[in-house]
Amino acid sequence: MRGDATQSTRAAELAQYVSLTIAIAGLQFGWSVETGFGTPYLLSLGLRKSLVSLVWLAGPLSGLIMQPLVGILSDKSTSRFGRRRPFIVGSTVCTVLCLCVIGWTRQITGGHETLTIWLAVVAFYFMDFAINCLQASLRAIIVDVLPASRQDAGTAWASRMIGVGNVTGYLMGFLDLVHLLPFLGSTHMQVLTTIASTVLGVTVAITCYFTPEKPLVRPPTEANDSLEAFRALFTSLRSLPLVIKRTFRIQLFAWIGWFPFLFYGTTYVADLYVAAHSTDGGSEAETMERGTRAGSLAMFVHALASLASSLILPMFTYSAAVGLPQQQPGPRSLSVLSNIKRVLDGIRARLMVSLPTMWAMSLVIFSLAMLLTLVTSTVFVASMILAICGISWAVAMWVPFSIIGETIRGVASLPYESQMHAAPVSGDYVQLSNNDIPMEVIDDHGLGQDADPQPVPPSTEMSAGTILGIHNVFIVIPQFITAFASSLIFAMFEHIQGSGKAGGQHAQQIALVMSLGGLSAAVAAYLSWKLRSQS
């Protein structure tokens, strides 16, 4: 009976993890369309590469504004539909509309080149704002719903869903969709954006339907001054737990490396392909199309590696909330399979590392991979480099959010009167300073413990949405840095070599930008390694 109950509980938790995070897969599918195919698409419209870098300022600009703002507003929302759901639905509708505009830009403008470029750029900007709003809400709802002991599992599932979204997104980019699905559009981008819109809508509907939210109940004496809350955002950094501050610092350096990879990875492989096949005959457009397909294939392999890593690596890590699992000695079984499982569990226990250690190792891999782009000249080697980075990407989408979520819920799960004297969460890296101001109490009844949504008590300080919004600021600031730096590098090479050069020379320019990002990732690896023992 106890075994049946345990199996039933695990099945319920699994269903909750899937329904809670599946919308992130839909979001990542749409984002893969932007990051994987946005640069080649804008270049095909006639936009110069140096200006494409400036277009991607939409990401950090929207993240700098939207995620903190949405975090604050949703934290204080008293909507009967829940705190996060209205923002999730609204941003999903906006994202779908922008995807449709991007797919049919030429048809909307009647083929006018300048107007087409401007409309596409505006659509990408609006989509970035909507995606940041959606991402902030989906990440916050994970922290809201799951207790501290399940934050690591929840964020690990979010990482897996990101892997699923990437795999399907890049696979769709590699396939000849116009031939396979001609009824969805006459161009590759039209079919791709139609599929992305449908997937996003369906997955968000599943999350909203199967995830009951706890509406916020505000006492009559508490004013809803969102402007004051927004002003307090920038004075609240001093009150953050020490481990969250250090996590933000690591993210600052890590994402200086990630943004060149995300926005130029496909183009990097495509340019190497064009350089290798420029004398094969055929038009330049056809060669570039095949090169883009090669880049899509490389990113597809990267997504597969990321998905596999998100499934395997969590089994070899332990979190601060749970601690290092202790293997319990038991009687030897006559079953061969049981003995094999016992031996494998013993090996796994010896190989387990903390979340910061896993993060540091993944950043070392990523840093070395980015530096290798400087000496890479073949499509195959470049594709393998992108694939290896899938390991690091899986960790980047999981570990920092686990650390932040555990820290939030580790304090938030304490009673109101106990928060003023909150003790550190157990573990080798979560250590709160003595002068930390406590964060909002978020009810610690996850869906698996209490199926009926209960009102959330009012905030005493900052809550999940606000903290994750501040976290995103440290992710988007590096994009400003890399966007301006890459734009200057590309403009310098265009001035020296001329804008008509293509192929291998463009790949060398991108490799230079990516290698500089690799150096920054090495700094992040050092800081994350120190996070293991810092207090």
Side-chain angles (χ1 to χ4, degrees):
M1 293 294 293
R2 180 175 295 180
D4 292 341
T6 302
Q7 293 238 338
S8 177
T9 301
R10 288 178 178 174
E13 289 183 351
L14 176 61
Q16 183 190 18
Y17 290 140
V18 173
S19 62
L20 180 62
T21 59
I22 193 171
I24 295 179
L27 171 63
Q28 192 64 29
F29 187 102
W31 201 54
S32 69
V33 173
E34 178 182 6
T35 58
F37 312 106
T39 298
Y41 179 66
L42 290 173
L43 291 173
S44 71
L45 295 180
L47 195 64
R48 294 202 310 271
K49 184 170 292 187
S50 57
L51 295 179
V52 170
S53 301
L54 298 180
V55 171
W56 298 133
L57 286 176
L61 182 62
S62 59
L64 191 64
I65 298 172
M66 289 301 295
Q67 292 220 20
L69 181 60
V70 168
I72 292 171
L73 295 179
S74 63
D75 282 343
K76 294 181 173 291
S77 173
T78 56
S79 169
R80 64 187 180 90
F81 299 106
R83 292 190 293 173
R84 317 298 179 189
R85 188 178 281 107
F87 294 90
I88 291 173
V89 173
S91 56
T92 298
V93 171
C94 185
T95 303
V96 168
L97 291 175
C98 290
L99 284 168
C100 293
V101 170
I102 290 170
W104 276 265
T105 304
R106 281 195 175 96
Q107 286 73 17
I108 295 173
T109 62
H112 189 281
E113 182 177 350
T114 303
L115 189 58
T116 298
I117 293 175
W118 273 105
L119 181 61
V121 169
V122 170
F124 274 117
Y125 263 80
F126 273 95
M127 187 168 76
D128 268 322
F129 274 84
I131 284 177
N132 272 282
C133 177
L134 181 56
Q135 184 183 52
S137 304
L138 292 176
R139 284 290 187 178
I141 202 172
I142 295 176
V143 180
D144 290 347
V145 170
L146 299 178
S149 59
R150 295 171 60 197
Q151 284 294 317
D152 184 42
T155 52
W157 269 98
S159 176
R160 290 162 189 156
M161 290 301 178
I162 289 173
V164 171
N166 275 331
V167 167
T168 52
Y170 291 122
L171 175 62
M172 293 296 176
F174 174 69
L175 298 175
D176 188 356
L177 295 179
V178 177
H179 178 72
L180 295 173
L181 303 168
F183 55 89
L184 294 181
S186 58
T187 67
H188 188 79
M189 184 59 81
Q190 287 178 2
V191 181
L192 196 58
T193 53
T194 301
I195 296 174
S197 301
T198 305
V199 170
L200 179 61
V202 171
T203 55
V204 166
I206 293 173
T207 294
C208 289
Y209 182 79
F210 289 102
T211 307
E213 280 199 84
K214 304 174 178 69
L216 178 67
V217 177
R218 187 182 307 281
T221 56
E222 184 177 348
N224 185 13
D225 190 351
S226 298
L227 182 60
E228 178 62 30
F230 192 69
R231 285 196 297 265
L233 173 69
F234 298 99
T235 63
S236 301
L237 286 171
R238 293 191 304 270
S239 66
L240 285 173
L242 189 59
V243 66
I244 292 183
K245 293 178 183 178
R246 288 170 174 164
T247 300
F248 290 174
R249 190 183 309 153
I250 296 168
Q251 291 285 67
L252 182 68
F253 287 97
W255 280 88
I256 290 177
W258 277 118
F259 278 117
F261 172 85
L262 292 173
F263 285 106
Y264 298 113
T266 302
T267 309
Y268 171 65
V269 176
D271 285 346
L272 287 176
Y273 182 93
V274 170
H277 297 82
S278 58
T279 59
D280 291 353
S283 66
E284 182 180 345
E286 291 175 346
T287 305
M288 191 61 195
E289 176 69 21
R290 292 195 299 270
T292 302
R293 293 274 181 84
S296 301
L297 178 60
M299 293 303 291
F300 172 66
V301 178
H302 156 83
L304 283 177
S306 176
L307 178 58
S309 300
S310 67
L311 293 171
I312 297 171
L313 294 182
M315 295 188 294
F316 294 92
T317 57
Y318 63 90
S319 64
V322 178
L324 182 63
Q326 301 295 323
Q327 191 178 17
Q328 300 296 331
R332 289 186 175 273
S333 172
L334 295 178
S335 170
V336 176
L337 291 178
S338 297
N339 287 326
I340 292 176
K341 182 179 182 301
R342 183 175 56 82
V343 172
L344 291 177
D345 287 343
I347 296 173
R348 183 172 70 91
R350 292 186 181 92
L351 294 176
M352 291 189 77
V353 297
S354 67
L355 290 172
T357 302
M358 180 64 72
W359 197 8
M361 292 189 298
S362 72
L363 285 168
V364 169
I365 293 172
F366 177 62
S367 175
L368 293 175
M370 291 297 93
L371 292 173
L372 283 176
T373 59
L374 284 173
V375 295
T376 300
S377 58
T378 66
V379 172
F380 176 78
V381 175
S383 299
M384 290 302 99
I385 289 175
L386 266 60
I388 291 172
C389 290
I391 301 172
S392 303
W393 178 248
V395 176
M397 294 295 99
W398 150 46
V399 169
F401 294 96
S402 289
I403 294 174
I404 293 171
E406 286 177 359
T407 308
I408 293 173
R409 296 308 299 264
V411 175
S413 60
L414 297 175
Y416 283 104
E417 61 273 12
S418 300
Q419 290 190 54
M420 294 302 296
H421 310 286
V425 181
S426 62
D428 66 342
Y429 58 91
V430 179
Q431 193 78 22
L432 309 184
S433 60
N434 292 331
N435 60 353
D436 282 328
I437 299 174
M439 294 170 288
E440 174 192 7
V441 174
I442 303 175
D443 191 281
D444 202 27
H445 298 292
L447 184 60
Q449 301 177 25
D450 187 357
D452 297 324
Q454 300 296 324
V456 176
S459 64
T460 58
E461 276 297 326
M462 292 185 298
S463 62
T466 305
I467 292 175
L468 290 173
I470 298 175
H471 170 239
N472 194 68
V473 171
F474 286 85
I475 291 178
V476 300
I477 286 176
Q479 192 172 350
F480 281 110
I481 298 172
T482 56
F484 280 118
S486 59
S487 181
L488 288 174
I489 290 173
F490 293 146
M492 179 183 67
F493 276 101
E494 284 179 2
H495 177 73
I496 296 173
Q497 300 173 346
S499 59
K501 303 291 183 181
Q505 291 182 347
H506 278 172
Q508 292 170 4
Q509 298 167 23
I510 295 175
L512 177 60
V513 174
M514 295 170 79
S515 63
L516 292 175
L519 294 176
S520 182
V523 177
Y526 171 72
L527 294 175
S528 58
W529 183 260
K530 288 181 64 178
L531 186 64
R532 298 166 57 251
S533 56
Q534 285 179 334
S535 60

